[in-house]
Amino acid sequence: MFRSRVELKTPEQLRHMDAAGSILCEALDATVAAAAPGVTTGELNDVFSEFIARRGAKPNFLNYHGFPACICTSVNEEVVHGIPGGRVLEQGDVLKIDGGCIIAGWHSDSARTVILGSSADGTADPADERLSEITKGALWAGIAAFAEAKHIGEVGEAIEEHITSQKGPALGILEDYVGHGIGSAMHMAPDVFNYSTGMKGTKIKPGMAVAIEPMLVRGGIDTKVLDDDWTVVTTDGSRSSQWEHSVCRHEDGVWVLTAPDGGAVELAAHGITPAPPA
């Protein structure tokens, strides 16, 4: 049986990934700030691409297997891989922004969900806000597991446990799209499942970097790809959420490469203190 080799990075290589992750974090901050009713998804792509260009980074989504933009913008029932363009955002939309960039040949990848409005003022559905909060919580549960796990399968177990332990209506965990290794390429071994597979999976070692990205839906988990050959939507039209961070393990611990503080604030709730690569 063929098995892809997991790339283990040196501390210097992880520092390059950290630099790429820092730029990506700031680029997503700028893009999220620009997201508002009346703005097109194409304009958000411009904000992102101009930001990383000013910082000397290259986009890793553009032309990846022919993808025509620097970010994915997926709205409402669109789960992932939405192509930015002329779509005008509306109040109450659930927008997923997924982007990445490259520094010195090393990749970063991160995604956020943005609710355009607030249930507090009647401009957003509280069920959408709950969906996003649980997805974000699942991401950090997965990162916390990665910080101390022996095998990559423990990440999916932690994500699923977080989701299924929530009170209220059940949410679906997409099974067709999962997280992945990242480093000298955007997608590489190992796969990082968002649910328990019953398998231990790859052994976690210092120098490993992965992108953890749970994707949840309010309805069924069946999806299809639109005629543009990229945009993935739920077949029942239910809304979705995606959150993602690139994270590494090294000799001194764990570090979230695409978080401004390495994940310190969010991981504190899990009793974990991250440390940057030496």
Side-chain angles (χ1 to χ4, degrees):
M1 177 183 292
F2 173 79
R3 292 184 178 179
S4 299
R5 181 182 297 275
V6 173
E7 181 181 74
L8 300 178
K9 291 78 168 171
T10 66
E12 180 181 9
Q13 291 166 341
L14 291 177
R15 288 195 293 273
H16 285 311
M17 293 186 69
D18 194 29
S22 295
I23 294 171
L24 174 57
C25 181
E26 294 178 29
L28 288 175
D29 286 344
T31 309
V32 167
V39 173
T40 69
T41 54
E43 290 173 315
L44 297 182
N45 184 71
D46 292 342
V47 170
F48 181 90
S49 61
E50 290 168 6
F51 187 97
I52 65 170
R54 287 197 301 272
R55 297 292 299 273
K58 297 180 179 179
N60 48 9
F61 282 32
L62 183 63
N63 296 323
Y64 182 78
H65 294 289
F67 189 76
C70 294
I71 57 172
C72 299
T73 52
S74 308
V75 184
N76 298 335
E77 78 282 2
E78 297 172 352
V79 182
V80 289
H81 305 162
I83 300 173
R87 180 166 182 164
V88 179
L89 296 172
E90 299 179 359
Q91 197 80 268
D93 278 346
V94 180
L95 170 67
K96 283 74 66 177
I97 303 173
D98 190 356
C101 69
I102 309 168
I103 286 289
W106 295 93
H107 290 247
S108 60
D109 189 5
S110 183
R112 303 178 189 178
T113 294
V114 182
I115 307 291
L116 297 185
S118 168
S119 62
D121 58 19
T123 56
D125 188 336
D128 288 335
E129 294 175 333
R130 174 179 180 268
L131 170 70
S132 179
E133 284 303 310
I134 292 176
T135 309
K136 184 178 181 181
L139 167 63
W140 285 103
I143 293 172
F146 180 74
E148 300 179 336
K150 293 183 178 180
H151 296 88
I152 202 69
E154 295 171 53
V155 174
E157 292 171 1
I159 290 173
E160 180 173 335
E161 182 178 355
H162 176 85
I163 296 164
T164 57
S165 67
Q166 303 300 313
K167 297 179 179 178
L171 299 174
I173 307 172
L174 285 198
E175 297 179 356
D176 293 338
Y177 301 90
V178 301
H180 51 86
I182 185 169
S184 60
M186 182 163 59
H187 293 118
M188 53 188 5
D191 289 337
V192 184
F193 293 92
N194 296 315
Y195 53 91
S196 174
T197 64
M199 305 289 287
K200 288 185 176 179
T202 301
K203 186 176 181 179
I204 296 175
K205 299 178 180 179
M208 183 183 292
V210 298
I212 300 173
E213 52 177 327
M215 286 163 267
L216 304 186
V217 294
R218 288 174 53 185
I221 63 172
D222 291 337
T223 62
K224 63 180 180 182
V225 179
L226 298 183
D227 291 340
D228 62 17
D229 287 334
W230 281 103
T231 308
V232 177
V233 301
T234 56
T235 56
D236 63 4
S238 62
R239 292 187 166 191
S240 66
S241 175
Q242 176 198 23
W243 283 87
E244 177 184 21
H245 273 304
S246 297
V247 54
C248 71
R249 277 272 293 268
H250 55 89
E251 294 290 354
D252 298 322
V254 68
W255 187 251
V256 183
L257 299 159
T258 49
D261 60 354
V265 171
E266 296 286 352
L267 287 175
H270 296 271
I272 295 169
T273 302

